[in-house]
Amino acid sequence: MRKIGRVLNAGLIAGMTALLIFGGSDLPRSQADPDFVPGEVLLKFKSSVPLPERALALAALRSRALARISSLNAYVVRIPEDATVEEMVEAFGRNPDIAYVQPNYIYRACLTPNDKYFEDQYALFNKGQQVGWVPGSPQGKPSADIKATSAWEETTGIAGVVIGIVDTGVDLNHPDLKNKIRSRGYDFVNGDTDATDDNGHGTMVAGIAAAETNNYEGIAGVAWNSKILPVKVLDQFGSGTTVTIVNGILWAVDNGAQILNLSFGAPAKDNAVEEALKYAFETKGVFIAAAAGNDNTAVYYPAAYDRYVCATAATDYNDQRTTWSNFGPEIDVAAPGDKIITTYPVALTPAGFQPYKFQDGTSMAGAHVAGLAALIRGIKPSLSPSDIMNIIRYSADDVNSSIHKGRDVFIGYGRINMEKALVPLKIIK
Ligand SMILES: [Ca+2]
Ligand SMILES: [Ca+2]
Ligand SMILES: [Ca+2]
Ligand SMILES: [Ca+2]
């Protein structure tokens, strides 16, 4: 442990004896991410203190002025390398000539996008707003969200990361998606090169993960800048076969998808699908998010393929697991999946309505995870899919710790936290 006393013994000024009282006490070093600039404090002398005495007071604590904020008569002060900001704030604070001393705090802007319905996206930023437009809709619990606004300060993603939406297709001309579509994709249901959505499900999932953001339109996506690769493997009723799904997965990863979103499931194992996922994960290095299922039963496949897939359960606007979210040891994390506003196909929207919709489901939960994975991938392209999975797991908030401490079968490691997942990646280059 470092002792401030040794630091202070360098002082030669009689007037500084008050500071020596502090000598000898051990203080913890600052831990974790700093909330202030390390190696600096900000301090202000009383106006009666002459300039030479100010210099001596700084020198006595082996510190020096880096800059002066003249209208405040305050100084930015470099402190000794072997002392912490906390130690030096306390030490300077004992000098009666100093009006105040404090850390040079770090303020982190929160990036709030201008999208029309962002206010309705409790999943991204929950301030206790009403969830849903129907009169009597419930209000959320503040902070029961995935910390999107603070995370976006770190990154909003890059266009080079492509999310494969292997689903019912995507509305390629949707006002909040059309600029995000990498190509018209492929339609394995109808055997054509136009993955237009005739169901709605894929469009809803795509918007959550990567709707165009900060465009004054619709919603914000988790990954503002990532691209969407639409792959239609489910028909207009939301059903697909082993063959359409396997073809879709293989086509997506062979055509640039680095993240896959699989928001479909069935109770039975499927060798062919598992093999396609193995190819995506091991050969192509693709991160795969999947929905656990909405039947309050065992985790469906493909989410249950533990080795390859990040199985996602659904929480609500109070950070509670939804009653219908599937559960089991395969669950990795949870994300909001209850009353999620998202994009909906224009062609399926009744006249007079906007092409957006509130939707429930672990599909909606999984899409948040896919978006987060795309952001992680954008910052650190070299990470393997299992690295990304571990980052998402270990940064999650254990929001049910009062009843199920630690990882559990309902929400896995917890509700994802974008800020906790992304901030360390930016610091560790
Ligand atoms: Ca088609
Ligand atoms: Ca938007
Ligand atoms: Ca798992
Ligand atoms: Ca837990």
Side-chain angles (χ1 to χ4, degrees), residues 172-193:
L172 306 172
N173 300 312
H174 192 284
D176 221 10
L177 294 170
K178 61 179 189 232
N179 296 328
K180 303 299 300 293
I181 307 282
R182 183 145 191 261
S183 78
R184 300 187 77 78
Y186 200 89
D187 177 347
F188 287 95
V189 175
N190 302 300
D192 60 55
T193 53

Side-chain angles (χ1 to χ4, degrees), residues 122 292-297 312-327 334-340 359-363 365 410-411:
Y122 82 83
N294 306 332
D295 295 311
N296 189 29
T297 180
T312 309
T315 48
D316 68 8
Y317 41 85
N318 290 319
D319 264 344
Q320 305 275 327
R321 170 196 171 251
T322 61
T323 52
W324 36 262
S325 188
N326 285 8
F327 58 92
D338 192 34
K339 297 182 176 62
I340 305 299
Q359 183 68 30
D360 296 345
T362 51
S363 298
F410 298 108
I411 62 167

Side-chain angles (χ1 to χ4, degrees), residues 303 305-306 309-311 329-332 389 393 407:
Y305 293 118
D306 252 342
V309 180
C310 190
E330 302 91 351
I331 295 288
D332 295 293
M389 174 126 69
R393 285 168 158 178
R407 187 181 184 180

Side-chain angles (χ1 to χ4, degrees), residues 397-408 411-414:
D397 290 333
D398 187 8
V399 292
N400 67 356
S401 63
S402 61
I403 43 171
H404 301 291
K405 195 164 174 55
R407 187 181 184 180
D408 60 73
I411 62 167
Y413 286 86

Side-chain angles (χ1 to χ4, degrees), residues 77-99:
V77 171
R78 166 76 65 215
I79 63 172
E81 278 182 12
D82 54 3
T84 65
V85 168
E86 292 97 326
E87 288 167 347
M88 296 306 288
V89 165
E90 182 139 5
F92 278 119
R94 290 171 186 272
N95 183 341
D97 290 340
I98 290 174

